[in-house]
Amino acid sequence: CVMLSGETAKGKFPVEAVQMMHKIAREAEAALFHETLIDALKKFQSHRAVDREVAIAMSTVEASVHVHAAAIIVLTTSGYAAHLLSAFRPKCPIIAVTRNIRCARQVHLYRGIHPIYYHLQRKDEWSEDMDARIEFAVHYLKRRSFAEVGDAVVCVTGWRSGSGATNTMRIIKIE
């Protein structure tokens, strides 16, 4: 955690101070050994029963490490699934696709989450709508150079629309 103090922010070089803090935070984040962190979190969680969402988050992050995923795409209504994924600190970015603008703003506060506000019309068939949102996120990944053709991406979705339905993880290859 890096904190920008009032003195630094009001000094002669506030932009340079923030840029240096950004470099420090990026370097510190890169120094984390993620597999050890995942193992420690799994060990901590193994002493008690975990709910479905935590199990999906743990499995998703572990799968993202094993397949060297370029990103994790999560379709979320409330942001809870994205928050859980962030807690397990994946190496890759988390792309949270939501129709809720408030949710998009809130998940932006968590580590590694890039929110996408999905403003397009909802499709009649739920599975088609889900695929359209995933495709929207894949285009975002390509446009922002997070991923390219041939990269693996882990997707987290629910079995129905609305909050509390997250139970599915799948790995796709970007075409």
Side-chain angles (χ1 to χ4, degrees):
C1 181
V2 182
M3 185 181 93
L4 180 64
S5 68
E7 293 83 11
T8 308
K10 295 175 189 174
K12 290 184 179 181
F13 307 102
V15 173
E16 290 82 358
V18 171
Q19 288 173 338
M20 181 55 71
M21 291 173 74
H22 176 73
K23 283 183 181 179
I24 292 168
R26 298 273 308 204
E27 189 66 30
E29 190 68 29
L32 272 177
F33 188 58
H34 292 273
E35 291 180 36
T36 303
L37 178 62
I38 292 169
D39 290 338
L41 287 169
K42 285 192 317 189
K43 191 174 186 179
F44 172 74
Q45 293 288 345
S46 70
H47 290 88
R48 57 189 176 149
V50 295
D51 61 8
R52 179 186 66 230
E53 290 87 0
V54 172
I56 288 289
M58 286 172 38
S59 300
T60 300
V61 172
E62 190 165 3
S64 74
V65 170
H66 290 302
V67 301
H68 302 286
I72 297 171
I73 297 172
V74 57
L75 306 184
T76 185
T77 302
S78 67
Y80 182 63
H83 171 179
L84 284 176
L85 287 165
S86 175
F88 288 99
R89 297 195 177 271
K91 291 181 182 180
C92 58
I94 301 164
I95 309 302
V97 182
T98 183
R99 283 193 165 93
N100 183 332
I101 192 71
R102 183 175 183 190
C103 172
R105 286 193 304 264
Q106 288 175 343
V107 298
H108 207 274
L109 297 172
Y110 293 101
R111 180 212 167 269
I113 301 177
H114 299 264
I116 300 176
Y117 174 62
Y118 188 78
H119 60 278
L120 300 177
Q121 184 70 28
R122 193 179 300 264
K123 295 191 183 284
D124 292 333
E125 181 64 37
W126 180 78
S127 61
E128 289 177 17
D129 186 59
M130 180 180 62
D131 289 341
R133 288 180 283 159
I134 290 172
E135 193 62 35
F136 188 80
V138 167
H139 287 303
Y140 173 84
L141 288 170
K142 288 181 189 176
R143 215 174 37 250
R144 298 290 304 258
S145 300
F146 283 122
E148 54 191 37
V149 174
D151 285 345
V153 175
V154 183
C155 300
V156 181
T157 61
W159 61 278
R160 62 174 169 77
S161 63
S163 293
T166 303
N167 70 348
T168 306
M169 174 194 66
R170 60 181 165 157
I171 300 169
I172 62 171
K173 188 175 182 178
I174 294 184
E175 297 176 355

